[in-house]
Amino acid sequence: MSLTEEELRYLNDALAREPTSLELSMVSAEWSEHCSYKSSRPYLKMFSTEGKHVLIGPGYDAGVLDIGDGMLLTVHIESHNHPSAVEPYGGAATGIGGVIRDILSMGSRPIALLDALRFGDIRNDNHARWLFRNVVRGIADYGNCIGVPTIAGEVEFDDSFTNYCLVDVACIGIARKDRLVMLKGDVDDLVIIAGNRTGRDGIHGASFASRTFEGEEEDRSAVQIPDPFMGKLLIDATMECVEKGCVKAIKDLGGGGLACCLSETADRLGKGMFINLDALHLREEMSVEEMMISESQERMLYIVEPSRFEEFKVIMDKYEIPFSVLGRLTDDAHLHIYYGGNEIARIKASIVANAPVIKRKAVKPPYIEYIASNSRKPEMPEYDDIADILLRLLSNPSIASKEWVYRQYDHEVGLRTVVKPGYADAAVLRLNLDYAGGEGSSYRYIAVKVDGNSKHCYIDPYNGSMGCFSEACRNVACVGAEPIAMVDHLQFGSPEDEHVFWTFVESVRGLADYGRYMKIPCVGGKVSFYNETKNGAIKPSPLVCVVGLVNDGDDGKVMKGHASRDGDILMVIGLTKDEMGGSEYYEYIHSILNADVPKVDLAYDKSTRDAVLALIRAGLVTSVHDCSKGGLAVAIAEMCIASGRGARVELSNVPHTCTRLDDLLFSESHSRFLLSISRDDLDAVNRLLSDHPVDRAVIGEFNGNSLSLEYKGSGINISMDSMLDSYSSIARLMGHGG
Amino acid sequence: MHIAYHVSLIGIVVFPGSNCDRDIYHVLKNIMHVDVEFIWHKREDLNCYYDAIVIPGGFAYADRLRAGIIAAFSPVMQAVKRLARDGVPVIGICNGFQILVESGLLPGAFMRNDSLTFTCRWTMLRLNVNGSRTPFTLLLKKGTRLNIPVANQEGKYYVDDDTLKEMEKNEQIVFKYEDNPNGSLYDIAGVCNAEGNVLGMMPHPERACEMILAPSSSTNLSTNTGYGDGILIFRSLIEYLQGKQKVSI
């Protein structure tokens, strides 16, 4: 039993009696950190959640954005870290299943997935490779099978994830404004569970996720079994129900199983429920406790008016989806659970659904001071060594091409993927309502990207987290989209550790400050604590998934990919600063920790992004690339690789405040963009930029078969072939096959 | 291309787990402007209703046992077999191709890709027969190159030597990859039956109908800049059905 003594006392007081054993199981599941947010809830209020496009903010199964023309976008993010660390294939696959059902719960059709993955060092660690390979396979097998494309993502490798992994998946859905399903229900409406039979998998999954990961074999029973086929049937059947309008509320059965789903739904509706567990369709014989907390996958709850039940039944029967009418809504706000004719629980839904908040201590961890007082710089490399350093950075798995990953994902199904993985910094989707308008109808184009940076967030959680938000916004701007909303996923160690908790609070502060300044609302998110192994907590790993809108009407341009041509000019916008803390150059190449993590200057960050968006809208750029992990040198090399042509760059032209050449090359300062521009457009670009308060400079041009980086007379030259070879390191490491 | 052809009705077969059905629908309805209907897998009687049948991609029955095998035994496939025998054009794409093979409407078998993983990428195909060989290639010349993506896990086509020779002789090897993505025997990307009215292809032409969906580096061979190469498959079919209509009137 995972309740603390204090919580138990609180429960007894609320009930004015001892709980029954079933009530205790239900409350323990729902009051787990995973389901209740009992440590994080007060801090999440810091986020600004309102904006022009926001229809529904945090608190529902998914955030809802109004993108015009009667079209709604839903977005949600989930992680499945503990399960994936024990059983990577099933853990990752069920993570996809779970986030899809959150999108379904709003009556929206899931149309795209993003994944953000974190592992240990795959170069030297067989176990990390095993996790990586099977997590990707799990996502591929589930997403491909249900016909939802996986269109974007990111992967980071760091020793703090050794023997562990972070598996985050975000899902985008689309709904008709007149069909959005909000939680509604009246007395005597039917409570129906449909989908897979309930079995013994995923017992105590929520509690498993609410304690430190020990990697024990017995934890495998807490991992659920994926069934993408049933997942696909549920998508099709639910969308038919929504189209017919025969369901009043939809809710996913996720962490905490029936206990959480029933109590949260009843609490939301302000209703009670009469539930008869004898009716539940089971896979095997189970105790009532197990029925209530099993996390068997691919199950949904529907609230259906009795007069619409026949329609609902016809749809479920068409898809041969088993379901049970479990009970009905009552007006007394209590959950009445019956089994074998006996009432075995009677508890107010609001008690179960609202765990008492735990006030955690937050204390700045000593390691941060330690890094600050021991910060140093590496010895300045010989000029000739820079080529080798750049190639090593390109082969660093955190930077190298992720083609090995996204090749395994169907990223085309649905006919919406305009910008595909590997072509630009964010994915772009084309949307209309079920293709209803057809040719010439107005499409909306949205961009999405998820970003994180555990190295920056470890050293400086406030600035690091803000930087992740800034980077995700830059990435959607690179394809021509204005950021309109974000969802976040906050992943940390144990909240009971005051040092860990401090990093959580700082991280929320960083994200909230950025969102408020930029007027980019947070419309949803998750918190995942207890990401710890025997070796301690993971590095703080907040993720930010940003949604951008390309056209708020008919105009707007999508940057489809890197289309630099021979003779195109390379321009940099933004200022490169001596901010080397957490950089791949310091950590991956030199194993040096430095406290000076890149900081976002909010006003400047907005100016550079606005400038780039103005250039894209004016049609004055042939490609745009964000500058992030690995710095300027890596970003230039990536543009060369993507466009298949070399470049000549004069580094002394780069706007900077660095004192060393290696800092200039590899600093990860924010708010920087690289652009390729046709020579004929240069005057127009300069004219346009004169209205924007940003640093900018022409630093080179594209041509030839090599990248040459020159600095006041000396220079290095790297062939395209060697860059491409280094950049393909992941495919080489992972090889072929399963 | 805003002319509506009400002369034909095309059916899209939907199995539990089909997931390209709506994509095909979009192309036929919104781009080709033809009448189109979904056909649920339990229907047994399709006679006289449909002028052509599309079996879309996806994971019918989640590819359990092996890709296409369960769908091959569904009621609707018995009806599709009868239509095929009567000369009605039938195209199976990706999982649809696997279903046609498992149904015995097309020769061959599928194995796991050489990479052993799912593979999603754009490929270059070449028409290996005369365009008039199938209703779906009518507007193409032998040797025409088409840029169309694949997305499959069991996409490696295999057939025994004797059948291969026979198929070559009969001009049944319709499409070949220039850059074989999965290890298919003889670079085979698409085949037809002896009569030519049933075509199976692994690449997804419906994903390559609109230029906006092509990767920026893809080459467009279609003369109309707004359309991708995949549209030629569907245009050929419509052209064929219209021609037939004229003859029969």
Side-chain angles (χ1 to χ4, degrees):
Chain A
M1 207 48 61
S2 51
L3 293 189
T4 64
E5 267 175 49
E6 216 167 302
E7 287 169 337
L8 209 49
R9 248 195 321 274
Y10 177 94
L11 178 61
N12 286 345
D13 288 351
L15 285 171
R17 61 171 164 85
E18 296 269 316
T20 68
S21 72
L22 181 64
E23 287 165 351
L24 201 53
S25 300
M26 291 164 61
V27 170
S28 303
E30 178 65 51
W31 289 10
S32 64
E33 187 64 55
H34 181 77
C35 296
S36 71
Y37 296 79
K38 59 190 173 189
S39 304
S40 57
R41 228 184 303 149
Y43 297 91
L44 303 178
K45 293 194 180 111
M46 286 158 74
F47 288 117
S48 94
T49 58
E50 279 166 27
K52 179 178 162 197
H53 295 279
V54 180
L55 196 68
I56 296 174
Y60 277 80
D61 284 343
V64 184
L65 299 166
D66 188 338
I67 55 167
D69 274 0
M71 249 183 282
L72 301 180
L73 208 63
T74 53
V75 54
H76 190 59
I77 190 165
E78 281 274 357
S79 69
H80 234 198
N81 302 337
H82 274 42
S84 302
V86 194
E87 210 284 82
Y89 179 83
T94 50
I96 296 280
V99 76
I100 292 277
R101 290 192 303 279
D102 285 320
I103 292 296
L104 269 184
S105 296
M106 306 303 293
S108 59
R109 176 182 291 279
I111 55 162
L113 291 160
L114 295 89
D115 60 343
L117 312 174
R118 286 178 161 69
F119 303 92
D121 178 4
I122 54 165
R123 291 169 310 151
N124 304 308
D125 178 352
N126 267 329
H127 182 252
R129 273 201 294 280
W130 175 74
L131 287 173
F132 182 35
R133 184 186 307 284
N134 287 293
V135 162
V136 169
R137 202 165 57 84
I139 293 171
D141 279 3
Y142 202 107
N144 296 346
C145 190
I146 59 174
V148 180
T150 305
I151 56 164
E154 52 116 37
V155 194
E156 187 178 14
F157 303 91
D158 187 280
D159 285 338
S160 83
F161 306 115
T162 301
N163 289 322
Y164 197 63
C165 58
L166 298 185
V167 176
D168 291 85
V169 282
C171 188
I172 308 284
I174 184 169
R176 283 171 55 168
K177 198 168 179 179
D178 55 356
R179 289 269 195 278
L180 188 70
V181 176
M182 302 290 291
L183 282 173
K184 271 182 279 177
D186 297 294
V187 173
D188 286 337
D189 284 352
L190 303 174
V191 178
I192 299 173
I193 300 291
N196 267 348
R197 293 173 184 284
T198 301
R200 279 215 182 85
D201 57 323
I203 300 273
H204 291 302
S207 321
F208 173 44
S210 304
R211 62 179 154 87
T212 295
F213 176 73
E214 274 144 18
E216 302 296 345
E217 282 295 315
E218 56 260 38
D219 287 335
R220 282 187 199 224
S221 65
V223 182
Q224 309 85 347
I225 302 162
D227 179 0
F229 184 54
M230 182 57 83
K232 165 72 171 147
L233 296 180
L234 280 176
I235 293 174
D236 290 342
T238 304
M239 293 320 296
E240 263 191 58
C241 290
V242 169
E243 203 49 45
K244 281 248 157 49
C246 65
V247 291
K248 282 172 142 177
I250 310 173
K251 177 106 177 119
D252 163 39
L253 272 81
L258 266 180
C260 292
C261 178
L262 295 177
S263 61
E264 284 173 21
T265 306
D267 182 47
R268 261 289 154 64
L269 294 171
K271 295 278 183 295
M273 282 179 186
F274 169 90
I275 297 296
N276 175 19
L277 282 180
D278 297 287
L280 183 62
H281 55 295
L282 299 175
R283 193 166 61 219
E284 55 206 316
E285 231 173 85
M286 299 167 73
S287 71
V288 285
E289 276 88 1
E290 288 171 327
M291 289 180 206
M292 285 304 283
I293 61 167
S294 157
E295 294 179 13
S296 289
Q297 294 289 290
E298 286 83 30
R299 297 180 302 159
M300 299 290 286
L301 171 140
Y302 303 90
I303 303 290
V304 179
E305 205 175 297
S307 65
R308 309 296 296 269
F309 175 70
E310 253 332 289
E311 287 169 76
F312 175 84
K313 183 175 183 308
V314 166
I315 294 169
M316 291 298 147
D317 288 349
K318 171 182 170 188
Y319 290 97
E320 297 177 36
I321 297 174
F323 66 90
S324 11
V325 180
L326 208 57
R328 55 182 175 77
L329 297 184
T330 65
D331 60 2
D332 69 350
H334 277 69
L335 293 173
H336 304 262
I337 315 285
Y338 282 79
Y339 189 68
N342 301 316
E343 190 180 39
I344 50 175
R346 181 201 294 188
I347 185 166
K348 216 171 176 190
S350 61
I351 296 178
V352 190
N354 298 292
V357 166
I358 297 183
K359 199 153 169 32
R360 303 282 190 196
K361 263 175 86 177
V363 176
K364 189 174 185 178
Y367 78 80
I368 290 188
E369 291 303 337
Y370 179 84
I371 294 171
S373 51
N374 289 281
S375 277
R376 61 184 178 96
K377 287 182 161 294
E379 219 168 285
M380 178 65 200
E382 296 293 318
Y383 204 88
D384 289 345
D385 292 339
I386 284 176
D388 178 54
I389 292 171
L390 176 54
L391 289 175
R392 279 168 64 203
L393 282 173
L394 286 173
S395 72
N396 168 358
S398 292
I399 289 174
S401 166
K402 307 302 183 293
E403 180 168 357
W404 179 84
V405 178
Y406 60 72
R407 269 297 154 257
Q408 299 186 48
Y409 302 150
D410 186 344
H411 46 259
E412 307 269 5
V413 62
L415 304 188
R416 299 185 180 93
T417 318
V418 170
V419 176
K420 304 165 201 302
Y423 281 90
D425 291 6
V428 175
L429 290 172
R430 169 185 80 161
L431 305 175
N432 72 350
L433 290 169
D434 290 347
Y435 313 128
E439 215 178 354
S441 81
S442 92
Y443 281 108
R444 285 283 190 274
Y445 294 87
I446 62 146
V448 278
K449 182 67 168 76
V450 57
D451 276 302
N453 190 321
S454 307
K455 291 182 172 67
H456 290 191
C457 294
Y458 174 66
I459 299 171
D460 185 341
Y462 176 83
N463 287 300
S465 302
M466 187 180 274
C468 297
F469 201 164
S470 164
E471 187 187 344
C473 290
R474 281 203 298 285
N475 281 326
V476 302
C478 283
V479 294
E482 181 85 43
I484 59 166
M486 71 88 105
V487 293
D488 60 351
H489 196 230
L490 308 168
Q491 304 173 103
F492 297 84
S494 165
E496 297 160 33
D497 178 328
E498 58 194 23
H499 295 140
V500 168
F501 201 69
W502 182 86
T503 63
F504 163 76
V505 176
E506 284 294 289
S507 178
V508 172
R509 222 164 50 76
L511 296 175
D513 284 354
Y514 190 87
R516 183 160 294 114
Y517 184 90
M518 298 296 167
K519 300 191 171 60
I520 303 172
C522 168
V523 295
K526 287 284 279 185
V527 182
S528 161
F529 284 124
Y530 298 98
N531 292 292
E532 301 202 354
T533 65
K534 286 167 192 156
N535 302 326
I538 58 158
K539 287 185 178 175
S541 303
L543 297 178
V544 183
C545 176
V546 166
V547 179
L549 189 57
V550 175
N551 58 335
D552 204 356
D554 289 334
D555 54 344
K557 284 196 174 59
V558 174
M559 297 299 294
K560 283 200 68 173
H562 295 286
S564 335
R565 292 161 302 196
D566 272 339
D568 275 5
I569 284 168
L570 175 63
M571 176 180 270
V572 63
I573 288 183
L575 187 62
T576 302
K577 295 181 259 187
D578 175 4
E579 299 175 310
M580 304 307 291
S583 67
E584 294 293 335
Y585 173 59
Y586 271 30
E587 300 211 0
Y588 183 81
I589 302 289
H590 295 295
S591 303
I592 287 180
L593 286 175
N594 182 297
D596 288 327
V597 163
K599 293 177 185 60
V600 178
D601 174 334
L602 290 165
Y604 191 79
D605 191 72
K606 180 151 174 41
S607 298
T608 57
R609 194 166 60 239
D610 286 349
V612 167
L613 282 171
L615 287 173
I616 293 174
R617 286 186 191 122
L620 292 173
V621 287
T622 50
S623 63
V624 186
H625 187 32
D626 153 54
C627 229
S628 56
K629 286 192 182 87
L632 189 72
V634 163
I636 295 172
E638 285 175 337
M639 282 182 96
C640 289
I641 292 168
S643 65
R645 54 179 48 77
R648 263 185 76 160
V649 179
E650 176 52 55
L651 294 166
S652 57
N653 291 342
V654 176
H656 71 93
T657 58
C658 302
T659 51
R660 291 168 51 144
L661 182 61
D662 55 346
D663 291 354
L664 171 62
L665 283 166
F666 304 119
S667 163
E668 297 177 6
S669 290
H670 292 296
S671 321
R672 293 180 302 159
F673 295 86
L674 288 169
L675 305 96
S676 71
I677 295 163
S678 165
R679 196 166 281 280
D680 300 337
D681 290 330
L682 187 58
D683 288 344
V685 167
N686 281 325
R687 267 198 308 278
L688 192 151
L689 287 179
S690 61
D691 295 337
H692 293 265
V694 296
D695 299 279
R696 65 176 190 274
V698 169
I699 60 169
E701 81 170 49
F702 288 94
N703 61 37
N705 285 316
S706 64
L707 170 61
S708 107
L709 298 172
E710 290 162 20
Y711 187 75
K712 295 179 180 166
S714 41
I716 54 158
N717 204 298
I718 310 175
S719 74
M720 288 291 293
D721 286 347
S722 56
M723 289 196 292
L724 201 57
D725 187 61
S726 297
Y727 203 56
S728 319
S729 67
I730 292 183
R732 254 195 319 278
L733 273 170
M734 302 309 292
H736 272 314
Chain B
M1 287 295 293
H2 274 278
I3 317 146
Y5 305 102
H6 293 294
V7 291
S8 309
L9 176 60
I10 300 177
I12 301 171
V13 177
V14 184
F15 297 98
S18 295
N19 64 30
C20 302
D21 43 335
R22 297 157 55 83
D23 297 0
I24 301 279
Y25 187 92
H26 165 68
V27 167
L28 290 173
K29 187 83 182 175
N30 298 330
I31 303 177
M32 300 305 302
H33 301 286
V34 293
D35 288 335
V36 55
E37 266 180 22
F38 290 120
I39 305 170
W40 188 237
H41 67 120
K42 290 198 172 158
R43 275 190 49 194
E44 291 172 45
D45 176 22
L46 304 180
N47 292 349
C48 320
Y49 292 122
Y50 300 101
D51 300 289
I53 296 288
V54 183
I55 306 180
F59 286 76
Y61 299 96
D63 278 0
R64 280 176 187 161
L65 296 182
R66 70 173 181 263
I69 182 75
I70 301 179
F73 288 97
S74 64
V76 76
M77 283 314 293
Q78 314 320 312
V80 169
K81 279 185 200 169
R82 285 193 294 275
L83 290 183
R85 214 163 40 227
D86 294 343
V88 170
V90 175
I91 182 172
I93 297 164
C94 196
N95 193 222
F97 186 7
Q98 293 163 333
I99 293 167
L100 289 175
V101 163
E102 291 293 348
S103 306
L105 281 167
L106 292 173
F110 285 94
M111 296 191 289
R112 272 218 155 178
N113 297 346
D114 277 352
S115 65
L116 300 180
T117 58
F118 192 94
T119 300
C120 178
R121 57 172 257 221
W122 284 66
T123 58
M124 192 59 83
L125 314 181
R126 213 175 54 251
L127 186 65
N128 190 46
V129 295
N130 287 318
S132 58
R133 182 69 180 96
T134 86
F136 305 95
T137 50
L138 208 58
L139 298 173
L140 304 176
K141 284 198 183 71
K142 185 170 182 174
T144 304
R145 299 165 81 232
L146 301 170
N147 193 204
I148 297 181
V150 292
N152 57 61
Q153 177 144 317
E154 292 176 41
K156 178 177 176 175
Y157 184 80
Y158 181 81
V159 70
D160 65 76
D161 284 349
D162 292 345
T163 317
L164 181 68
K165 279 192 198 111
E166 176 94 9
M167 287 168 73
E168 240 187 317
K169 202 178 80 207
N170 287 344
E171 293 200 33
Q172 283 176 258
I173 299 166
V174 179
F175 293 113
K176 291 183 73 171
Y177 297 110
E178 286 193 354
D179 47 358
N180 194 337
N182 46 30
S184 283
L185 184 78
Y186 199 54
D187 298 327
I188 288 173
V191 304
C192 66
N193 61 350
E195 294 73 22
N197 66 313
V198 179
L199 173 71
M201 62 189 296
M202 225 43 205
H204 286 269
E206 79 279 12
R207 297 182 180 187
C209 287
E210 298 160 275
M211 276 315 288
I212 185 80
L213 298 175
S216 56
S217 58
S218 77
T219 47
N220 172 32
L221 301 173
S222 164
T223 45
N224 194 330
T225 51
Y227 300 101
D229 298 345
I231 197 79
L232 296 169
I233 306 283
F234 299 102
R235 275 192 193 153
S236 292
L237 173 63
I238 305 306
E239 182 85 7
Y240 171 86
L241 294 177
Q242 280 181 308
K244 222 171 135 248
Q245 199 80 23
K246 276 180 209 138
V247 174
S248 63
I249 292 165

